[in-house]
Amino acid sequence: MSDKKILIVDDDFSVRETITDILKSQGWLVEGVPTGREAVEKTEEKNFDCVILDLRLPDFNGFEIIERIKNKVDKSKIVVITGYATDRIIVDALSKAEYFLLLKPVEPKQLISVVGKILEQ
Amino acid sequence: MKFRNKIVIGGLVPLFCVSAILFFTVDGFLRKIDRQAEQTKIDEIAENVEDEVNRHLSIVQNPLRETFAELISKLYSWNEINGFFIKFASVYPQIERIALVRGGKKIVEISKWPRGVLDRTPVNKNTSLSNIFWFNKKPFVNFEIRSVDFVVSGTIELASLFKKVNSFTFSPSGKIKVVSSKPRNNIRGKNVLSFPLLNGEWSFELNDDFSALSNPEKRFRRIFLGFMLIGFLISFAVLKVISDDFARKLGDFSSGPGDEFSAVSKKIGELEKKNKKLRELIEAQDSVGILGRNVSVIGHELRNPISAIKNALYFISTQISEDVKKSDVGKHLRIMKNETKMISHMIEDILTLSRIKPPLRTNCDINEILSEVVSVFGEDETLVEFYFEKGGIPNIKADVAEMRQVFSNLIKNSVEAITPPGKIFIRTSSAGKGVKVTIKDTGCGIPKSKLGEIFKPFYSTKSAGMGFGLATVRKIVEERHNGKISVRSAEGQFAEFELFFPAEG
C-alpha cells in the first residue's frame, strides 16, 4: 500500500469518520482530529503529505491553522473544505490560489481526485 | 377653506363678473337709446306745445290780430257786431271774454263769466307775469287790440292749453313750469326748453323726467336676470358635482379640519417617516442579518450532516459487490443518494434566496465549473448524452459556489425534463464583454403560457421540490451578477436557456 499520510481536521464526527473511511479505502493512511490545536500538535509530531481542513473549527479558524502549520505543511498540500463560501475575508485570502478549495457538501469523487493530485506532487 | 369650496367659488366668481360686465354694458346701451328716444319725444312735445300756444294765442298775434281789427272796423250795426263776436267766440273757445269799446262806450261784450267778474279779478303782481292772472286756480291772460276808434279787449283762458299737464307752478323769475303727465318717479334728467311768448315776457319750461325705465329696458333686465339665475344654478350644480367628485376621490383626506391638501401632505409626511423607520429597520437587520442569519445558520449547519451522509453512501457503494448493487439493497442506496441530493439542492436554493450578503467574486473559469457539474451529472444520468462545446472565454468575476448552483439547477431541470433517451447541449462562447452560456435539452419543453412564470418562486411542475430552482438561478444571474437569462422552448421538443455574464460582474 502507500505510505502517504493524510490529516483531516473537522469538528463534525460524522464528516470526519466518513471522509476518513473513504480515503482509507483508496489505500491511504488517514488520521482525524476535531480541533485546530490538536491539528497543530499532530503536524508537529508527524509529517503529513496532505491536510484536509474545515474552516470552521471550535478554537481557531482554518486560516489561522494554515499560518501556524505552514512550516510543517506546505500550502500546496492543503485542501480547505468549507460550507461558508460566502465568508468574504476567508475566501478572498484563499483566492490567491495557494490552496485547494472545496465546498461542502463535498463530492467524494472530487475529494479523492484532488487528494490524489496533491499526493502525486 | 376647503379646496372643494374654492372650486365652487372659483367657478362662480368669474361667471358673476362676466355677467355684471355684460349687464352693465347692455343696460348702458339701452339706457342711451332710451334717452335718445326721450329726447326725441320731448322735442316733439315742445314743438307741439309751441304750436298750441301759438294757436291758442293767435288772436293776439299778427297776422290774425290785424285781420281781426280790420274786420271789426267795418262792422257798424249792433247786430252785425254781435253776430260777429258770437261766431268768433265759438271758433275760438279759449276766449273767455271779448268786448268792444267804441268812443269810450262798451258796445258789446261776450263772456262765459258773469258780467264784470273777470274785469275785477285782482292780479297778484308778485306771482304772475304782466298779464297772466289766476282766477279759481286757473290761469288767464287779458289782451287788448287797439285801433283808431275802438278797443277790443278780452280774456283768454290758458288751462286748456296744457291738456297734458298735471300741475302748474309759477316761479318768481317769471317762468311757468310745466310738468308732463308722466308719473313722478325718480326724477333724473331735466330737459329744459324755453321759448318766448308774447314778446319775451313769458316762457314755458318743459320739465320732463326720465325716472321710469322704458319697457324695453325693463324687459331686458328681467330676461337678463332670469338667464343669469339659470346660468348660476347650472354652474353651481356642475361645480358642485366636480367638487364632490374631487372630495370623493380624495376619500379620507377631504374630511376633517383644514384644507384637503394639508391633510394629504400631512399623510405623506407620516408615510415618509414610516418609510424611513422601515428602511432603518431593514438596514439594521441587514447589518446584523437577523432574519438572513437564522436561515443562513440553519442552512450551513445542515451542510455537515448532508456531507456525512453523502460520504457514507459513497463509502458503502465502494464496499459492496456488483450483485448487491443490483439488488434491492442497491436500489435503496440509490434512493438515499438521490434524496440526499434533493435535500442538498433545496438547502442551496433556500440559502441563495435568503442571502443578504453580496456574492463573493473571484476569478472564475466557467468552462471549468461547467465541466465539474457536467461530470457529476454525467455519471448518474447514463441515459442522457451530454455535449459540451467549450468556447474560448475569458475568466469572469463571479461567486464560484453560486455559478455551480446555477448550472446545477439548470442541468438538473434539463435532466428531469427528458424522458430518456435524450441529449443536453451545453455551449460557452465569448460575447461582447462577457461570457454566453447556452444549455439546451431535448426534453418536454415549456408551454408558451408558462414562459413568464417559470422564474417565479414556488413554480414547479414536479410533485416534489419547492420550485425554487429557476428563481434561484435568476436571482444569482441577474440580481447578484448583473447578467441576463432568457429561455426559448417548443413544447414537446426542446428547451434552451441562454445566460450572459459580464466579465466584470
Side-chain angles (χ1 to χ4, degrees), chain B residues 205-256:
Chain B
E205 206 173 83
L206 200 58
N207 193 357
D208 209 351
D209 64 45
F210 308 99
S211 51
L213 295 171
S214 67
N215 283 338
E217 200 174 326
K218 263 191 236 163
R219 221 178 21 199
F220 163 73
R221 284 196 175 188
R222 235 174 270 147
I223 292 173
F224 186 89
L225 274 162
F227 273 113
M228 206 168 92
L229 202 66
I230 294 172
F232 261 85
L233 285 169
I234 294 175
S235 301
F236 182 76
V238 168
L239 287 166
K240 199 75 179 46
V241 165
I242 292 173
S243 132
D244 284 346
D245 184 44
F246 170 78
R248 192 171 41 84
K249 287 216 166 95
L250 278 183
D252 289 334
F253 294 114
S254 61
S255 58

Side-chain angles (χ1 to χ4, degrees), chain B residues 1-12:
Chain B
M1 189 205 288
K2 292 266 177 205
F3 189 75
R4 62 174 178 276
N5 294 338
K6 283 187 196 170
I7 290 176
V8 175
I9 291 172
L12 288 178

Side-chain angles (χ1 to χ4, degrees), chain A residues 8 19 52-55 79-83 102-104 106 111:
Chain A
I8 159 94
I19 289 182
I52 300 169
L53 183 58
D54 183 17
L55 281 182
V79 180
V80 171
I81 297 178
T82 179
L102 291 175
L103 299 172
K104 276 188 184 172
V106 175
L111 180 62

